[in-house]
Structures are given as structure tokens and as C-alpha cells.
Amino acid sequence: MKTKREEENNREYDDERLSPDSKRQKMMIEQSPQSRSLGFDNPLLPLASYDDDDDEEEDGRIGRTEENNIPRMEQNGYKDDKQEDDDDDDDDDDDDDDRQDQGYIQGRRSRLIVIRRDCPYLDTVNRQLLDFDFEKFCSISLSNLNVYACLVCGKYYQGRGHKSHAYTHSLEAGHHVYINLQTEKVYCLPDGYEINDPSLDDIRHVLNPRFTREQVQQIDKNKHWSRALDGSNYLPGMVGLNNIKDTDFVNVTIQSLMRVTPLRNFFLIPENYQHCKSPLVQRFGELTRKIWHARNFKGQVSPHEFLQAVMKVSKKRFRIGMQSDPVEFMSWLLNTLHANLRTSKKDGSIIYKCFQGELEVVKEIHKRPFEKENGDDDGGNAHGSIVEETSRMRFLMLGLDLPPPPLFKDVMEKNIIPQVPLFNILKKFDGETITEVVRPHIARMRYRVIRLPQYLILHMRRFTKNNFFVEKNPTLVNFPVKNLELKDYIPLPTPKENEKLRSKYDLIANIVHDGKPGEGFYRVFVQRKSEELWYEMQDLHVQETLPQMVALSEAYMQIYEQQQ
């Protein structure tokens, strides 16, 4: 009967007699993953490996450098235990892959990916359930790294390796076809081969819509309707937007901006803003491409990803579930997009190119008798107790003041809804009409437009806030839908010799507020240029309307396009 100490001495003596190759082979057997006992019952529980094998070039470079280093270290007589484990794993993978009789492409860590066209599971792809409008996060781990969409049930899962969520889902649910949401490659799991079939191109187009510059130039001439998978017809660019929860103020703003041709054309081609890493710019571009895409599976688009970017960038100033003002949102969105798109402080952007105009502001401040009148005011001329300051101010939109509604009811015991022509409230910018302001201090202001933008945004100040509640002014504004001639009402500067004075504008979008302040909802009238028809849009509802109906509503914000 040998003691334990004697057995250990005999084992050491046997090891000394073994040759180096035999010793190494014994060590590999002892340390191989198959010989180790698992500390848990189900090997699928610790879903920790999310390595993708051929998606990221950088990882591929790392794998190649490691492969190049291993033979050099072996020549020096050194081999690490961990590397031996990796070699064993790679050998097993190679043995599995060598059994395939198809073409190969080289992946990371020498794993071979098979490319096949004859996948037997392609008929299980269910396009009705596919929805790429939501954030690309794994439905289990909530990670946005290496996410795949199951083309059978539409859910998102992470990874493709043997311990990943997508691999587990393929075994549990029997769903075998997955698309990488970043690289757009399609794989069959658990087999692991890549599917190269032209029948999947329509899914790639819905995931990431693409436009050539020629298509962008012809987009306003398109009069063809598109058909969704459910059989309904829709017009590209005239699709409804999903109201997630009190987000109608975002929907009407987006639908209005989609009518601004240079802005839309800029965002339809991602190369124009690929230098910009802002999530807001990228999401706005994606949303623009989805709205104008002619091969969508559905006749509507959900702006969920764009809203998530808005909440993050605005620090929840605008968020899902809280009604906000579309004028505030439009102002914030245009300024934020401009700040993110410009490469330096001197550079302009597509936002300023479309919407920026210039005002001349004359400010009259009444000095108190005991204040000394210093002569160092900016361009100020002191006339007794009045100081005049003249300055120039750039604008993206103009605010128009409505006359106050009548306090008393008429003979029929009904409130009179007053009406006012647009030209009357535009007189604020004729350089002569005085507007009194209280903040930051009491002053009299005179405004004059000295440069008109290509697209003019007007908003009517319908809501007034006091310490107790918000009031809404119901005054109707009478405005022309076509040929708004500004030079008859606003003195404009004389153009240069080679330039023509462009002061005629056509309405392209009209945002309307219905209901009580704080409780109502927004809808928008937009024009389709290819046929010059008007459509009324409220979230998912899109219907054709008459141009006469556009002028009968309580206009809140309008976008006019300059006639060329």
C-alpha cells in the first residue's frame, strides 16, 4: 500500500523520463477545456461571449498580429498555457469548418466563415414582423454592441458565438436567419454560415435606405404611389409619423422640415454629414431617408430613435410623454443641428443657408434724469433723455404679435372670433412701427428686414403666460397660400446690380393648434410639390385637402419658400 507522498514522487520521476514533446502533449490534455469540469449545470447560462468573427476590421488586425507572433515565440522554445488553450479551440473550430464543402473567407483568429446561397431557412423570414425604427439594443442584455435582428420574429439579440443570446435563441425558438444591424450581413445560426442571397436585399434597403444623387434630384418629380406589405398605398415623403406619447409637436416639426428641399436633399445623402459624430444629426438623417424611401414595408415611420437622441441632447427638455411647444422645439432643433454640422465658427451650415435672414434693430431707451449720459453707447445718439442704439441681428424665424381678442360677447351671446390679415401683423418689421418691450428693461424697438432668407419661418404668438395660467389667442390670420409679396408691406433693401429682388413667397407648411392651451393637439398642412396638392397630416393620419381649407385654421407656425 503506497502512501500519497510516494505516489507523487513516482509521478515526478515518470515526468522527468518523458520527452519534451510527450510532456507538452500531456500538459495540453490536462489543460484542455474538455477535461475541465464545469462549475455549473447548463453551459448556456453564462452568456458572456459576444465576439463577432468578421465584422470589425480592427479586431481582425489584432487577430492577425497574434497569429504572426505565435510561431516566432514557438521557435524560441516558449509557449504560453493560454495560447495552447486558444490553439486547441481553434483546432476544434477548424475541424468543424473543414467538413463544409463550400467557399471560405478568412475570419478573426483563423475561424473560417462559409458563404452559401442555398439556405433552407429563407422561407421562414417574416417581413411583416420586421421593424427597424427602434433603437438597436439587445432585448436581453440591453447592449448596443454587435446586435443582430432575428428575421423570423423581429427581435434583437447580441452576438453570434456559442454563448451569445442570438445563438441561444436560435436553439430555443428554432429561428435560424439573423442580420447584423451594423454590417447588414445575414447569417444562419446555429450553423454559423453567411447567407448571400439577392432576395434579402429589400430587407437591407429598409434597414438602411440609400439614395443616389440622381434619385435625390428626381424625388420631387415622382408621382407614383408605393405599396406596403399589408396592401395599403402610401406616398414617399407623405407617410404618417407614430405619436409615441404626446410627441405630436415633434411630428409636425419634422413633417414641415421635410418640405424644405435643400435641407431634405442634404440629409438624404449620408456622405454630406459623415464627418459629424452627433447622434442628433445621424438620427435626423436616418429619419429623413426613411420618410422618403419608396420601398418601406409599412406606410408609416416611428421616430423613436430620433426622439431618444433629442431627449439625450436636450437633457430631457423635450421628452416623450410631455407636450411641448413646436416653436421652441423648431428653434432648438435648428440651432443644435447648425452647431453640430459646422466644422469651425466661421463656417456656415445648410441650416443657415436655408433659414437665416437679417434684421436691423433700432432700440430707444429712456434714461432717468439722475443717470449720467455717457457717450460710449454702441452707435447711440443721445437726444435729451432718449438713447438710440442701432444694431444688426440675424434670425431663423420671425415672431408676429396678434391683436388682443375682444373681452365682451356679441348680441348672440357668443364670443366673436376676430380676423386679421397677415400684412397687418407683418408691419412690425417695416422699420417704423414701434414695439414696446419690458425685458431686460423698458425700451421701444423698431425692426426692419434687411436680408430675406430662402425659407421664411413665421410664428404667431398665440399663447401668453402669466403667473396663474396660459391663455390662447383665437384670432384667425388671413394669409395667401401662393404669391405672398413682401415688398409691398416691408421696405426691403435694393439688391445689387446683378441680383434680382426676390420677395415673393409660397406657403409650403402650416402648423395648426386645436383645442385648449396645454391640452390641445397639433396638426400640419403640407404641400406635395410633384402635383401641387395639399395634405393634412396628424400623426398617422394623412389625407388630401383643399388649399382653401389651409387658410381657415388657427395658424401657429408657417414656412414660406422663396420663388426663384
Side-chain angles (χ1 to χ4, degrees):
M1 183 109 183
K2 292 183 181 180
T3 64
K4 190 175 183 180
R5 185 184 297 272
E6 288 175 342
E7 287 179 358
E8 290 176 357
N9 291 338
N10 290 337
R11 193 180 299 142
E12 290 175 2
Y13 178 71
D14 292 339
D15 288 347
E16 288 175 3
R17 289 191 303 171
L18 287 172
S19 65
D21 294 336
S22 304
K23 194 185 293 184
R24 182 178 301 151
Q25 186 176 0
K26 183 180 180 183
M27 189 188 303
M28 287 166 63
I29 294 171
E30 287 178 356
Q31 295 188 353
S32 64
Q34 290 86 353
S35 66
R36 291 197 201 111
S37 62
L38 293 170
F40 43 84
D41 297 332
N42 184 1
L44 293 174
L45 281 177
L47 301 173
S49 172
Y50 306 121
D51 293 336
D52 205 348
D53 298 289
D54 63 336
D55 296 340
E56 300 165 61
E57 295 179 3
E58 186 176 351
D59 292 341
R61 285 197 296 271
I62 294 172
R64 285 195 293 273
T65 52
E66 288 178 0
E67 291 168 12
N68 293 338
N69 288 339
I70 288 171
R72 194 179 303 153
M73 295 165 71
E74 286 180 354
Q75 287 174 4
N76 295 334
Y78 171 82
K79 190 166 186 176
D80 192 44
D81 295 343
K82 185 178 178 183
Q83 288 173 353
E84 291 178 9
D85 290 348
D86 291 344
D87 288 346
D88 289 346
D89 294 341
D90 291 342
D91 291 341
D92 295 338
D93 290 341
D94 289 345
D95 292 340
D96 293 339
D97 289 335
D98 284 341
R99 285 192 286 270
Q100 304 288 349
D101 55 353
Q102 308 291 334
Y104 299 108
I105 57 172
Q106 187 73 18
R108 193 177 69 183
R109 293 189 182 272
S110 72
R111 181 170 173 177
L112 300 172
I113 306 298
V114 186
I115 299 180
R116 288 176 55 177
R117 291 190 63 173
D118 56 339
C119 179
Y121 301 111
L122 284 180
D123 60 338
T124 63
V125 174
N126 189 351
R127 288 168 172 79
Q128 301 274 0
L129 298 178
L130 299 183
D131 187 356
F132 300 120
D133 290 344
F134 292 92
E135 289 183 294
K136 313 295 191 287
F137 280 94
C138 173
S139 57
I140 296 176
S141 66
L142 299 181
S143 170
N144 61 349
L145 299 173
N146 220 0
V147 180
Y148 288 76
C150 173
L151 297 184
V152 183
C153 64
K155 293 179 181 176
Y156 294 170
Y157 295 99
Q158 192 177 15
R160 204 179 76 238
H162 289 283
K163 294 182 180 179
S164 66
H165 297 296
Y167 190 89
T168 309
H169 177 70
S170 70
L171 294 174
E172 290 177 347
H175 297 170
H176 300 290
V177 189
Y178 295 80
I179 185 169
N180 187 308
L181 297 176
Q182 193 69 33
T183 64
E184 301 176 16
K185 292 182 180 179
V186 182
Y187 296 92
C188 178
L189 295 181
D191 298 347
Y193 58 84
E194 183 183 340
I195 304 169
N196 183 16
D197 195 290
S199 66
L200 300 170
D201 287 346
D202 60 335
I203 298 177
R204 293 188 177 98
H205 275 280
V206 173
L207 172 61
N208 185 15
R210 301 169 182 82
F211 291 87
T212 63
R213 296 191 183 272
E214 291 75 22
Q215 288 173 330
V216 170
Q217 296 302 321
Q218 300 294 321
I219 206 166
D220 278 331
K221 299 175 183 175
N222 175 41
K223 297 182 181 181
H224 299 293
W225 291 67
S226 296
R227 184 176 287 271
L229 288 179
D230 60 358
S232 61
N233 294 326
Y234 70 93
L235 280 167
M238 292 289 167
V239 296
L241 292 177
N242 192 16
N243 185 348
I244 295 171
K245 191 181 178 185
D246 294 334
T247 56
D248 50 344
F249 72 98
V250 174
N251 292 349
V252 295
T253 305
I254 292 169
Q255 296 284 20
S256 304
L257 290 175
M258 291 299 108
R259 314 305 136 200
V260 180
T261 308
L263 185 73
R264 179 203 66 196
N265 293 354
F266 177 85
F267 278 101
L268 282 178
I269 299 176
E271 287 77 20
N272 292 333
Y273 49 92
Q274 62 184 0
H275 67 277
C276 181
K277 304 300 180 188
S278 165
L280 185 72
V281 173
Q282 299 296 332
R283 296 289 171 267
F284 186 75
E286 284 177 18
L287 185 58
T288 305
R289 297 200 300 276
K290 285 177 180 176
I291 288 174
W292 287 94
H293 192 225
R295 294 165 64 180
N296 285 331
F297 289 162
K298 299 174 299 177
Q300 73 262 359
V301 176
S302 179
H304 189 268
E305 279 190 287
F306 175 71
L307 282 164
Q308 293 290 339
V310 167
M311 285 170 60
K312 185 176 180 182
V313 177
S314 70
K315 298 177 181 174
K316 295 199 174 178
R317 177 182 167 191
F318 305 102
R319 63 176 185 267
I320 298 171
M322 189 184 77
Q323 183 72 274
S324 294
D325 190 341
V327 172
E328 287 182 25
F329 179 69
M330 175 78 84
S331 176
W332 174 85
L333 179 64
L334 293 180
N335 282 293
T336 310
L337 287 175
H338 165 72
N340 291 331
L341 283 171
R342 64 179 181 179
T343 51
S344 66
K345 288 189 176 181
K346 292 181 180 179
D347 290 344
S349 69
I350 187 68
I351 305 295
Y352 275 17
K353 204 175 289 183
C354 292
F355 300 109
Q356 192 184 58
E358 203 167 355
L359 285 175
E360 183 183 76
V361 183
V362 179
K363 188 177 186 181
E364 293 182 3
I365 305 172
H366 288 263
K367 288 282 186 179
R368 292 178 183 172
F370 57 83
E371 287 185 9
K372 291 183 179 179
E373 294 179 359
N374 298 325
D376 53 358
D377 291 303
D378 299 335
N381 301 318
H383 299 292
S385 60
I386 299 176
V387 176
E388 262 190 21
E389 296 177 4
T390 305
S391 59
R392 289 192 170 196
M393 182 189 298
R394 293 176 179 174
F395 68 87
L396 293 176
M397 60 175 73
L398 294 176
L400 304 176
D401 301 318
L402 296 175
L407 293 173
F408 304 105
K409 296 183 179 181
D410 64 353
V411 182
M412 304 296 291
E413 290 296 319
K414 291 182 179 178
N415 279 330
I416 305 167
I417 298 178
Q419 299 187 28
V420 60
L422 178 65
F423 308 113
N424 285 11
I425 54 178
L426 274 173
K427 286 181 181 175
K428 174 182 176 181
F429 299 100
D430 63 1
E432 296 175 3
T433 305
I434 291 174
T435 308
E436 295 189 352
V437 295
V438 181
R439 292 174 182 163
H441 42 255
I442 297 173
R444 293 160 60 115
M445 314 286 282
R446 295 200 305 271
Y447 304 99
R448 188 169 70 90
V449 178
I450 56 176
R451 182 163 61 86
L452 286 170
Q454 186 180 354
Y455 288 86
L456 180 65
I457 304 178
L458 303 176
H459 77 89
M460 291 70 179
R461 295 195 169 117
R462 289 199 176 275
F463 301 105
T464 52
K465 295 179 184 177
N466 55 30
N467 293 334
F468 306 103
F469 52 87
V470 180
E471 286 183 292
K472 180 183 174 183
N473 190 330
T475 303
L476 290 177
V477 179
N478 298 324
F479 54 87
V481 175
K482 274 188 139 352
N483 298 322
L484 169 66
E485 181 58 89
L486 291 180
K487 71 178 181 183
D488 297 340
Y489 306 93
I490 300 175
L492 298 172
T494 54
K496 297 175 183 176
E497 294 179 2
N498 301 328
E499 292 182 1
K500 181 185 175 184
L501 178 63
R502 294 191 178 97
S503 59
K504 270 192 179 181
Y505 284 83
D506 294 333
L507 185 70
I508 56 171
N510 182 35
I511 294 176
V512 175
H513 181 266
D514 297 318
K516 297 178 181 178
E519 298 176 6
F521 52 89
Y522 295 96
R523 55 196 171 96
V524 62
F525 295 93
V526 297
Q527 187 192 38
R528 186 175 180 226
K529 286 190 176 177
S530 59
E531 297 170 331
E532 294 197 354
L533 298 175
W534 282 88
Y535 287 83
E536 180 185 343
M537 310 177 88
Q538 183 184 342
D539 299 329
L540 293 175
H541 302 288
V542 180
Q543 59 184 10
E544 190 179 334
T545 187
L546 294 170
Q548 293 85 344
M549 300 297 294
V550 179
L552 293 178
S553 50
E554 296 178 3
Y556 186 46
M557 183 163 58
Q558 300 176 325
I559 301 181
Y560 285 88
E561 182 181 32
Q562 197 175 52
Q563 290 185 3
Q564 297 301 318

